Amino acid sequence: MLRISVLGPVQVTRGHQPVRLGPKLVELLVILTVDAGSAVPAARVVELLWAGSPPSGAQATLRSHVSHLRRALASPDAPDDPVVVTVGSGAGGAYRLDVPHDAVDAHRFERWCAEGRRLLSAGDNDLTERAAAVLERALGLWRGPAFADVADRSFVLPRVAQLDAVRRDARRGYAEALTALGRHAEAIPQLSGAVVDDPYDEGVRRLLALALYAEQRVDEAAEVCRAGVHLLRDRGLDAPELQELQRDILQRRLPPGLLPADRGKPLRPCLLPPDPPQFVGRVDELAAGRDLLSAASGGPPLVLVGGPAGIGKSLFVLRLGHTVLGHFPDGQLFVNMRGFDPTGAPMAAGEALLGFLDALGVPPERLPATVEAQAGLYRDLLRDRRILVVLDNVRDAEQVRPLLPGAPGCATVVASRNQLPGLVVAEDARPLRLDLLSRGESRELIVRRVGAGRLAGEPAAVDRIIDSCGRLPLALAIVAARAATHPEFPLDVLVEELRPGLDAFAGGDASTDVRDVFSWSYRNLNPAAARLFRLLAAHPGPDLTAAVAASLAGLPADRVRPALRELVTAQLVGEHRPGRYALHDLLRLYAAELGRDDELSAAQQRLLDHYLHTALAADGLLWPHRDPLAAPPVAAGVTAEVFEDRPAALAWFTAEHAVLLAVVDQAARGGFDGHVWRLAWAVTNFFARRGHWPDWVRTGRVAVAAARRQGDRGAEAEAHRILGGAHVRLRQFAVARGHYGQALELFGVLGDLVGQGFTCRSLGWLCEQQGDIGAALRHDQRALELFHRAGHERGEANTLNSVGWCHALLGDHEQAIVHCRRSLALLERLGDPVGMAGAWDSLGYAYRRVDLAEAISCYRQALLLYQGLGDRPNEAVTLRHLGESQHAYGDADAARRSWRQALDILTEIEHPDAGRVRALLAADG
């Protein structure tokens, strides 16, 4: 069912799923909601939507907005049944929101308020109980100021004022009902709010003073009367009844009609703090929490809300509690267990129990002596009642267990930055993890505190604030509060303040200072876990494995895993995928502040050594016949990873892809130039096989610069050749030729025949890609000569294939087959599957003009090898060639299958040849 919520920020949901609307669609929806069920003329909508200054073409723009809103609100089950209905046409056209009356929370609120007042006026005790429940449910619909997103727009101001007036009356009616029932402790917060709403209402002040007096808060009751008398006197009004009540209270005379609270009867506790108006988003998590709290199970539901420091657990459990108030009519118990608190030690379960028993009306003389007996009395009082228990800021399971109600009608919500697996195992707790806010929720949080108008003028700055805060709610709230406090500051200035570190995330007190909030978790770590947390600052992200953490710490993996598990339990580190651990950017900054320079420098050296030597080992399996690269010895404490086979090596590269890019950048920033160009060399083959051309260019550029800084001409030449290959793949031939030219010049100065040979062969490939086959043949023949002079058999074998390929392209199929057969024989002797795959592909092409059956056979041999190597680009090229041969052979079905497989690969890796294969499929029908 579609639900429109306006008692707070405007929200639309269908079932439990949020319906996302942009700012203009929200305004349009509000205009129609204010007059829900009535048609609003299009001209009136234009005037309201653009505040009397519509742009040119406003009618057309409005029709587009209406169309978008209609699609957004449409039910998937009835897409042709519009929620926004067009009435009439042309200049007289209008729009109507066609939803059930109760689909809008404001309508339900007004209906329930009227029902509650009706029940209350009857004067019957049972009906008064019902009135209190109905009015409580009505007030529970409010999540903040009505129409909060657009509350300053003129078209909504009358409706806001109307709803606020109904809310004030409902709050007073609810308090009257509670007072009539003798539930004075619950009435006090409602009456206090009503006094704030209208401090001159003598009747409300009288009710509040009577409720305070009934709760033996005599001084406060007298002060309420005294303040009211003075306020009214300042307006020239007398308040004789209020003065008389003040005298009765001070003289301890029981006012007529007031009954003291029955201390022997368990009260309806109401300890849950107010619904936080600053709460945003979390629609899916709230729906999941409600489902868990209402799920039928063997015992009372226990929901464990977890997440790292600053993620918003406390606000979440309050909002969750208020959304389920109707399910727990007998009250709510709440306590902050101070598990992570700068002010002192965690609260003992016994202290919390005493507070709960007092809220349940147990007098001091009835309290048992031991915590166990108190817990037993607590559970007995909750038997046959429906009460929600919320335990916030819990450190460990022992704080929780004595406070679990045990009664089937009750439920418990626990919030902790520790994972508390003991509660999951022994108490059947259902974990509900909070993650970072989405970008949309982050923006909504800032809008709620700063205002949409200010953000609209600086959208880029808002995006940078969200990025700098890492979508962490606490950090966003701190920055938004600073922006709200200083409306004269451009948001760009605040963005600049965020750059140095955590200083900009200080909120003025310990509970709103990111550094302090993080410290409460860090201080509880054992020394090994604390050291590992500090060292994680040396890792650039986005995630790491236990093997990497072991090298980072310079310890065996079996000694690091317990520390890593402790960090996960403390939620300072998240295990977002099995075996992969991530650290939030702000936590990384905090860890860096804690770490010593020498400690982090040594860890960074070990980290880079781990990735370099592991990448070289993995590349050695992907291309075992590649000339090896000399690397410096690993630092003490580093254990490079080893792989059983080529698939395992390829899987490692795939998993570490983003990390390797970050490590290369980190090495460049840290001055580890030897690691930079060696890592670039090690990842090139993976990038080539997987089609990661932009990453290949990025690392190649960094490698050239690093080798040049290091003064290593051989490394610089190799880096230029690597970078040239990436540009050929991107068909940026002029740029590639420039890099190959620099590589050839440097190798020539060094007298490196092998380097010159590989570069000449690369130039041959470039020319072949450009269609200049004659030039390609000349470069390949030059490479063949250089390899022969150097005695480099593998280079000579692969270049024989390149020469044969060029002969095939020039139509000399006999010479092509001779050279490719010589290449294949030599490569088979050397055991080089990479070269063999290329030779089989070349032979396939050469045989296409001679023997189609043999060509198909050769292509299939090449395909098997490329698939085994995980070389996706060349696999696709061979599939295209195979399809062409199958088509020429008359097997059109097989050709289409080959081309479709090729197209799937080329599309996946965003290869420019995808268009050629689409054309082949289109031409074949």
Side-chain angles (χ1 to χ4, degrees):
M1 179 180 177
L2 188 72
R3 292 282 191 181
I4 300 172
S5 303
V6 299
L7 301 180
V10 178
Q11 293 180 352
V12 182
T13 57
R14 184 173 292 285
H16 293 317
Q17 297 303 313
V19 177
R20 306 294 184 190
L21 300 176
K24 218 61 181 175
L25 293 189
V26 168
E27 292 182 14
L28 175 58
L29 176 63
V30 168
I31 291 170
L32 299 177
T33 301
V34 168
D35 292 305
S38 301
V40 185
R44 177 65 175 156
V45 176
V46 167
E47 180 184 356
L48 297 175
L49 204 55
W50 283 283
S53 301
S56 60
Q59 287 284 355
T61 303
L62 173 59
R63 287 194 294 273
S64 175
H65 286 333
V66 169
S67 177
H68 282 97
L69 182 62
R70 190 174 281 144
R71 284 199 299 272
L73 301 183
S75 169
D77 300 325
D80 298 326
D81 187 11
V83 174
V84 180
V85 177
T86 301
V87 181
S89 61
Y95 300 105
R96 185 180 73 241
L97 186 67
D98 193 7
V99 295
H101 198 68
D102 273 5
V104 181
D105 61 349
H107 297 162
R108 297 198 303 279
F109 170 69
E110 290 173 311
R111 181 168 63 81
W112 291 345
C113 287
E115 173 70 7
R117 271 298 183 187
R118 185 186 65 79
L119 292 168
L120 185 60
S121 64
D124 179 86
N125 193 65
D126 290 339
L127 294 180
T128 301
E129 285 274 11
R130 286 176 55 191
V134 169
L135 290 170
E136 180 184 35
R137 183 169 55 162
L139 291 166
L141 291 173
W142 286 73
R143 299 168 289 106
F147 299 96
D149 316 71
V150 293
D152 57 345
R153 297 299 301 272
S154 61
F155 55 76
V156 81
L157 292 178
R159 181 61 170 148
V160 169
Q162 181 186 34
L163 288 170
D164 284 344
V166 177
R167 185 187 192 188
R168 286 194 298 272
D169 184 69
R171 180 181 281 172
R172 177 171 178 167
Y174 181 42
E176 290 173 356
L178 294 174
T179 301
L181 295 168
R183 290 157 53 179
H184 305 293
E186 299 171 58
I188 289 170
Q190 302 299 325
L191 290 166
S192 298
V195 167
V196 171
D197 289 339
D198 188 355
Y200 299 99
D201 189 323
E202 186 177 351
V204 172
R205 281 189 176 273
R206 178 180 173 81
L207 285 172
L208 176 57
L210 292 174
L212 288 167
Y213 184 89
E215 287 296 306
Q216 301 179 17
R217 295 161 64 175
V218 177
D219 291 341
E220 294 174 67
E223 175 59 25
V224 167
C225 295
R226 187 201 65 77
V229 168
H230 279 284
L231 277 174
L232 292 167
R233 184 176 298 154
D234 290 342
R235 282 196 165 187
L237 300 173
D238 291 328
E241 291 184 3
L242 210 54
Q243 288 177 308
E244 183 181 355
L245 178 60
Q246 183 184 7
R247 284 193 298 271
D248 287 341
I249 288 172
L250 290 173
Q251 295 172 15
R252 304 300 197 271
R253 291 202 303 263
L254 186 66
L258 179 66
L259 296 175
D262 181 0
R263 295 294 180 180
K265 175 185 175 182
L267 298 178
R268 181 181 184 273
C270 190
L271 299 186
L272 191 68
D275 193 7
Q278 69 272 38
F279 183 87
V280 299
R282 307 284 193 199
V283 174
D284 292 342
E285 293 91 337
L286 286 170
R290 288 193 295 269
D291 290 343
L292 290 172
L293 287 172
S294 61
S297 62
L302 170 57
V303 177
L304 176 56
V305 178
I311 205 70
K313 298 180 292 297
S314 295
L315 291 182
F316 177 83
V317 297
L318 291 181
R319 171 55 57 84
L320 177 60
H322 280 277
T323 65
V324 297
L325 284 181
H327 298 289
F328 301 97
D330 296 324
Q332 323 94 38
L333 296 169
F334 173 90
V335 65
N336 177 357
M337 300 299 295
R338 301 197 304 266
F340 301 89
D341 193 279
T343 59
M347 179 184 290
E351 182 182 350
L353 268 174
L354 291 176
F356 283 179
L357 290 170
D358 179 63
L360 290 165
V362 178
E365 61 272 15
R366 283 189 55 206
L367 288 173
T370 67
V371 171
E372 291 77 10
Q374 291 166 7
L377 174 60
Y378 164 70
R379 287 191 293 272
D380 185 61
L381 290 172
L382 266 55
R383 185 180 299 120
D384 300 324
R385 304 185 73 188
R386 296 187 60 79
I387 287 180
L388 176 67
V389 180
V390 180
L391 310 177
D392 189 24
N393 199 8
V394 168
R395 173 175 290 185
D396 54 46
E398 296 312 309
Q399 279 187 303
V400 173
R401 288 194 172 99
L403 303 174
L404 296 178
C410 298
T412 308
V413 178
V414 173
S416 177
R417 64 177 64 177
N418 282 340
Q419 289 186 332
L420 308 185
L423 289 182
V424 178
V425 174
E427 311 296 342
D428 196 27
R430 304 303 171 92
L432 177 58
R433 177 177 170 80
L434 301 185
D435 209 338
L436 300 172
L437 295 177
S438 68
R439 294 193 72 83
E441 290 170 330
S442 300
R443 181 176 292 275
E444 183 184 350
L445 186 152
I446 300 173
V447 167
R448 187 75 60 82
R449 289 161 172 80
V450 178
R454 188 172 174 194
L455 267 63
E458 299 182 75
V462 177
D463 287 336
R464 291 197 294 274
I465 288 173
I466 292 171
D467 291 338
S468 297
C469 294
R471 311 198 319 274
L472 186 71
L474 175 60
L476 288 163
I478 291 169
V479 177
R482 179 158 170 74
T485 306
H486 296 281
E488 73 280 8
F489 287 7
L491 295 180
D492 277 331
V493 172
L494 297 178
V495 172
E496 292 303 316
E497 291 181 354
L498 302 179
R499 296 185 186 281
L502 293 178
D503 290 343
F505 298 104
D509 60 67
S511 64
T512 57
D513 186 306
V514 166
R515 187 183 282 111
D516 283 342
V517 170
F518 288 164
S519 73
W520 307 336
S521 292
Y522 174 76
R523 288 199 299 262
N524 288 296
L525 299 174
N526 70 38
R531 175 177 178 266
L532 179 59
F533 176 71
R534 296 193 302 272
L535 297 182
L536 288 175
H539 194 282
D543 56 12
L544 75 161
T545 62
V548 176
S551 289
L552 196 64
L555 297 170
D558 59 351
R559 289 183 58 189
V560 168
R561 285 193 181 92
L564 200 54
R565 282 195 296 270
E566 183 174 347
L567 292 178
V568 172
T569 299
Q571 305 209 60
L572 288 168
V573 168
E575 188 176 7
H576 66 107
R577 293 205 309 272
R580 299 201 70 86
Y581 305 90
L583 186 69
H584 190 275
D585 289 343
L586 295 181
L587 279 166
R588 184 176 285 105
L589 284 174
Y590 177 62
E593 289 184 354
L594 297 172
R596 302 190 316 270
D597 289 345
D598 60 330
E599 182 180 52
L600 293 177
S601 178
Q604 187 177 29
Q605 176 74 57
R606 291 192 297 270
L607 177 83
L608 295 175
D609 281 0
H610 178 96
Y611 280 114
L612 173 60
H613 286 270
T614 303
L616 290 172
D619 183 66
L621 283 170
L622 295 189
W623 194 353
H625 294 278
R626 188 182 188 187
D627 289 354
L629 180 70
V634 296
V638 175
T639 305
E641 297 172 60
V642 294
F643 308 99
E644 293 183 0
D645 49 26
R646 184 180 289 113
L650 187 60
W652 181 83
F653 270 123
T654 302
E656 302 294 343
H657 178 184
V659 179
L660 289 167
L661 293 174
V663 167
V664 169
D665 290 341
Q666 182 185 45
R669 290 193 303 269
F672 293 89
D673 290 329
H675 285 76
V676 171
W677 66 261
R678 287 183 175 91
L679 275 166
W681 185 93
V683 299
T684 295
N685 189 36
F686 167 70
F687 288 162
R689 293 186 182 199
R690 285 305 195 216
H692 299 306
W693 320 132
D695 294 336
W696 189 353
V697 170
R698 171 180 162 185
T699 55
R701 286 174 178 164
V702 177
V704 168
R708 188 173 293 150
R709 285 193 301 268
Q710 202 176 31
D712 189 329
R713 289 187 170 184
E716 185 181 349
E718 185 64 16
H720 274 298
R721 193 175 72 82
I722 286 171
L723 184 52
H727 285 293
V728 172
R729 288 291 192 184
L730 290 169
R731 308 191 75 78
Q732 298 166 345
F733 300 126
V735 180
R737 188 177 295 277
H739 285 293
Y740 285 150
Q742 292 182 71
L744 199 59
E745 181 180 347
L746 287 166
F747 281 132
V749 170
L750 295 170
D752 186 339
L753 296 178
V754 173
Q756 293 177 70
F758 279 121
T759 307
C760 284
R761 185 163 176 251
S762 296
L763 280 164
W765 173 48
L766 184 154
C767 292
E768 182 256 311
Q769 292 294 305
Q770 286 185 293
D772 190 350
I773 310 305
L777 180 58
R778 289 191 294 276
H779 283 302
D780 287 337
Q781 288 171 333
R782 173 62 177 156
L784 191 61
E785 176 191 342
L786 289 164
F787 284 131
H788 184 73
R789 284 171 54 195
H792 195 284
E793 280 192 308
R794 186 182 59 79
E796 188 174 354
N798 282 293
T799 308
L800 278 168
N801 176 49
S802 299
V803 170
W805 173 248
C806 288
H807 279 303
L809 292 175
L810 291 168
D812 190 348
H813 305 299
E814 184 177 341
Q815 281 295 313
I817 291 170
V818 168
H819 280 85
C820 290
R821 286 290 182 189
R822 285 178 58 197
S823 169
L824 188 58
L826 186 52
L827 289 164
E828 285 178 338
R829 180 169 65 78
L830 293 171
D832 183 349
V834 176
M836 289 164 61
W840 278 116
D841 184 79
S842 298
L843 279 168
Y845 186 85
Y847 275 113
R848 281 168 65 174
R849 300 294 185 273
V850 179
D851 184 343
L852 278 171
E854 183 64 22
I856 292 171
S857 176
C858 292
Y859 280 136
R860 283 178 172 152
Q861 291 289 341
L863 188 61
L864 288 172
L865 287 166
Y866 281 134
Q867 288 171 338
L869 292 165
D871 189 337
R872 303 282 278 166
N874 278 317
E875 179 186 350
V877 170
T878 300
L879 280 164
R880 175 167 64 84
H881 292 161
L882 175 60
E884 290 167 348
S885 297
Q886 290 167 329
H887 194 272
Y889 195 65
D891 193 346
D893 290 341
R896 281 192 293 273
R897 285 194 297 273
S898 296
W899 288 335
R900 286 194 191 100
Q901 291 177 52
L903 182 59
D904 288 344
I905 295 171
L906 295 171
T907 301
E908 178 187 332
I909 65 176
E910 300 179 355
H911 195 287
D913 283 353
R916 296 173 64 182
V917 179
R918 286 194 190 93
L920 289 169
L921 283 164
D924 190 54

